[in-house]
Structure formats: C-alpha cells, structure tokens
Amino acid sequence: GQSLEQPSEVTAVEGAIVQINCTYQTSGFYGLSWYQQHDGGAPTFLSYNGLDGLEETGRFSSFLSRSDSYGYLLLQELQMKDSASYFCAVRGPRKDSNYQLIWGAGTKLIIKP
Amino acid sequence: EAGVAQSPRYKIIEKRQSVAFWCNPISGHATLYWYQQILGQGPKLLIQFQNNGVVDDSQLPKDRFSAERLKGVDSTLKIQPAKLEDSAVYLCASSLDWLVLLRGQETQYFGPGTRLLVL
C-alpha cells in the first residue's frame, strides 16, 4: 500500500526557521511535491523534488532522500502569513495507484509573534 | 491568466437530496481532477479526466457520485443521493497534460472549492 506520514502540527516563532518532515512508503516513486493550503483556501503548489537533494525557492526549500524515503520542507524567516497547512504528496506506481498523486494528511503550521 | 473556476462556493442540502458542482479549468489544461477533502485530511482523488476521457475513477463511489467532462473543457460532479458523510470540500484542479509530465513535475492548479454540508 501507499502511505505518507507528516506531523499533524508544528509551532514556530515569527522570524525563525521550521522544518516539516515527510516520510513515505510506496512501491514506486515519481517525485515528492509540497503544497500549501490556508484555512478556507485551495492548495497551492510550493515545490517538487524528483531527484535527491535540495531545491530552493526564495524562503522555502525542499529536500529529498530517495534511499531514506524521506523529504522535508524548510521555511526560513517565518512570517505570520506562512500560517497554513502544508501537504506532502507522492506520485505512486501504476500498479497500486495508477500513478496518482497520494497526499499526506497535512501539517498545520502555527506561527506565534 | 484566469485560474480554475468552481461554483457554487457553498452548498447546504439535506441527506438524500441531489447536488451538482461545476468546474472550469485553466484554458489549455488537458487534465482535470476532482478531489474530496474532509476537514483535517489531505485531498482524496475522486476522478481524473484526460481531455474528455476518464483516466482514473477507482475511488469514486459510483453508486451515488457521477462526473462528466463532455467537451473536454468544463466538468460537473454530481452526488445523488447525498449522505451525511459527503460533507466536505470538493476541489477541482487542472494541469497541462498528465501523460507528458508523468515522470516529471506536474503542478496541479486548484480552484477555490465547494464547501458542501449535508444535514
């Protein structure tokens, strides 16, 4: 079966750095994506890792280790507007999921002033 | 560039009633998705279209849910009859071409969603 695990909630202070981890179990793997969703809003794409290593986009970075089936999203210089839920998603193999994007349950990031 | 449009934004119905949601994807996007998102959970794929054909509907409760994308552009999702457990946000998303991007990055663009409450 396919599964993703990420913490349900993370709390951090404005201006700090926070890391949201994601571990996955799939029998095949075609990349790890991260999406942000504000309360009442739609998910928006943040980043994608197809290969091992770090991808940086402004204040956000995402890391992938395929050998460890592990990735993380790193948010720097936290701002209050970063308070949202963050989802990791993995594309599974054809056999089990018809290549569909499998989503984690999301991590609610709470930022305190 | 206009985003993914969905309507209505909110809907309250009683159980056993019918409801329909509409989605207009980003122009030129061949792939369209309908997701169900229950509060506190990640999106769950209900059905995926490639143009006007169904790619995957394995998680669609076909005894009560139906969806179509007749002209390969906009799409409707219907629930008939609705149950209490159908209360959720129904998200529509689109992407350029799922097959072309299968082994690479495929960014899905989401609409604002329809919040359904079944009483």
Side-chain angles (χ1 to χ4, degrees):
Chain A
Q2 326 291 315
S3 67
L4 290 92
E5 287 191 16
Q6 51 182 131
S8 59
E9 188 175 291
V10 171
T11 302
V13 178
E14 190 177 14
I17 299 173
V18 72
Q19 178 173 310
I20 299 173
N21 299 321
C22 174
T23 56
Y24 59 88
Q25 280 189 319
T26 64
S27 50
F29 177 79
Y30 297 105
L32 177 68
S33 300
W34 288 93
Y35 283 77
Q36 177 192 60
Q37 185 177 31
H38 287 98
D39 281 349
T44 56
F45 173 80
L46 285 179
S47 74
Y48 170 83
N49 294 76
L51 301 174
D52 291 350
L54 193 68
E55 295 286 339
E56 297 181 75
T57 309
R59 295 187 297 113
F60 294 1
S61 304
S62 58
F63 172 82
L64 174 66
S65 169
R66 288 174 294 173
S67 60
D68 296 322
S69 297
Y70 163 76
Y72 66 71
L73 180 69
L74 190 74
L75 296 84
Q76 303 182 71
E77 301 172 17
L78 285 172
Q79 302 174 9
M80 296 304 293
K81 67 178 182 180
D82 298 329
S83 294
S85 291
Y86 293 84
F87 294 89
C88 58
V90 168
R91 188 168 302 281
R94 177 177 183 178
K95 176 179 178 293
D96 297 323
S97 70
N98 199 25
Y99 300 126
Q100 294 311 323
L101 209 56
I102 302 159
W103 294 70
T107 298
K108 186 174 180 65
L109 175 60
I110 299 170
I111 300 174
K112 297 184 175 180
Chain B
E1 177 182 85
V4 177
Q6 286 188 250
S7 66
R9 293 294 310 276
Y10 305 90
K11 191 73 177 179
I12 300 175
I13 61 173
E14 295 186 350
K15 61 183 179 182
R16 291 188 289 273
Q17 284 188 323
S18 302
V19 64
F21 313 129
W22 174 82
C23 171
N24 192 20
I26 292 173
S27 178
H29 281 195
T31 309
L32 185 147
Y33 309 81
W34 281 104
Y35 287 92
Q36 180 192 60
Q37 186 175 26
I38 294 172
L39 190 63
Q41 298 182 17
K44 169 189 165 186
L45 180 71
L46 292 176
I47 189 167
Q48 176 183 335
F49 291 96
Q50 179 74 0
N51 297 309
N52 61 351
V54 175
V55 173
D56 191 322
D57 62 358
S58 57
Q59 298 191 97
L60 187 74
K62 298 180 186 63
D63 57 335
R64 298 184 301 106
F65 286 64
S66 64
E68 59 183 16
R69 193 185 184 198
L70 292 175
K71 297 181 180 179
V73 180
D74 56 350
S75 174
T76 56
L77 175 70
K78 296 179 182 178
I79 308 175
Q80 180 179 9
K83 292 185 176 181
L84 296 177
E85 60 260 36
D86 298 332
S87 294
V89 177
Y90 291 84
L91 295 163
C92 179
S94 69
S95 65
L96 274 172
D97 189 315
W98 169 75
L99 286 173
V100 169
L101 301 171
L102 182 58
R103 288 181 178 268
Q105 176 181 331
E106 179 223 355
T107 302
Q108 297 186 15
Y109 298 86
F110 285 80
T114 297
R115 292 181 177 274
L116 174 67
L117 179 61
V118 182
L119 302 175

